[in-house]
């Protein structure tokens, strides 16, 4: 078929990054995984996370910490998260001692930014969980309704946890 007759695999609208992430959080009924480098404020996302937890969603957060990043983060987003989220979510970090080091002595960073709802909806983004990313920066993300792909992303995190690459904080 000619290209013009083919249905695009990712049809959708252009909107703010936080709106697509909120859609992902709101869609979760059983499980939600969020991975991000930086976390700062993003109060609308934090409110949505608390509501997800209240409706019984198992929330798993994989976040960079100021300590484990070796000073790459100026603010510790984990310390700034709402205590209701911290106490009721599964939190994971990538310990500094488990990170690869290159020839210059530089360690790897937790730089991925994505969310998975119910192993069926995948949100991939360049945006961190910060107000700057959601309101000031030029960011790009894609919301993918593909259970196979969403499941693969969640299984990648499962493997990092079971392989002791990521460490639970709570």
């Amino acid at each position: 078929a000619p290209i013009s007759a083919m249905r695009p695999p990712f049809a959708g609208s252009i909107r703010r990054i936080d709106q697509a992430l909120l859609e992902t959080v709101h869609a979760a009924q059983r499980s939600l995984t969020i991975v991000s480098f930086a976390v700062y404020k993003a109060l609308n996302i934090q409110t949505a996370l608390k509501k997800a937890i209240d409706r019984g969603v198992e929330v798993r957060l994989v976040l960079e910490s100021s300590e484990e990043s070796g000073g790459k983060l100026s603010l510790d987003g984990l310390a700034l998260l709402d205590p209701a989220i911290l106490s009721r979510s599964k939190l994971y970090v990538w310990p500094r001692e488990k990170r690869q080091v290159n020839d210059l002595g530089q360690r790897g960073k937790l730089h991925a930014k994505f969310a998975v709802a119910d192993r069926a909806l995948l949100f991939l983004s360049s945006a961190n969980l910060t107000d700057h990313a959601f309101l000031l920066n030029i960011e790009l993300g894609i919301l993918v309704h593909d259970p196979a792909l969403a499941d693969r992303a969640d299984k990648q995190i499962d493997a990092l946890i079971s392989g002791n690459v990521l460490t639970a904080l709570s």
Side-chain angles (χ1 to χ4, degrees):
I3 291 176
S4 61
M6 296 167 64
R7 180 175 175 263
F10 303 107
S13 61
I14 303 296
R15 58 191 163 153
R16 287 189 358 208
I17 291 291
D18 59 331
Q19 296 305 310
L21 179 55
L22 283 169
E23 181 178 328
T24 306
V25 174
H26 294 315
Q29 296 302 309
R30 295 177 309 283
S31 65
L32 178 68
T33 298
I34 296 181
V35 179
S36 184
F37 175 73
V39 178
Y40 183 65
K41 293 187 181 177
L43 298 180
N44 58 346
I45 303 298
Q46 290 194 54
T47 298
L49 286 173
K50 287 187 283 187
K51 287 180 181 177
I53 293 166
D54 287 343
R55 67 176 181 271
V57 175
E58 183 179 293
V59 174
R60 175 169 69 171
L61 302 172
V62 180
L63 305 172
E64 184 67 280
S65 76
S66 180
E67 180 182 337
E68 300 300 346
S69 76
K72 300 294 182 195
L73 283 174
S74 56
L75 294 170
D76 190 352
L78 289 171
L80 300 173
L81 277 175
D82 187 305
I85 296 170
L86 291 172
S87 66
R88 298 171 63 203
S89 300
K90 293 182 179 179
L91 301 170
Y92 296 89
V93 297
W94 185 18
R96 186 166 171 74
E97 68 274 4
K98 294 183 180 180
R99 298 177 187 211
Q100 292 182 322
V101 180
N102 69 11
D103 294 341
L104 300 174
Q106 299 166 323
R107 293 187 185 272
K109 295 178 196 159
L110 175 67
H111 207 258
K113 297 137 191 123
F114 68 92
V116 179
D118 296 334
R119 295 185 180 260
L121 180 62
L122 173 63
F123 175 63
L124 297 168
S125 176
S126 63
N128 287 303
L129 292 176
T130 67
D131 286 341
H132 276 88
F134 297 144
L135 303 172
L136 296 174
N137 298 349
I138 295 175
E139 302 282 0
L140 182 65
I142 186 166
L143 192 56
V144 182
H145 296 265
D146 183 335
L149 193 57
D151 186 56
R152 284 180 61 191
D154 236 8
K155 283 181 177 172
Q156 178 67 32
I157 298 303
D158 294 344
L160 291 172
I161 292 168
S162 65
N164 293 314
V165 173
L166 299 177
T167 300
L169 290 182
S170 63

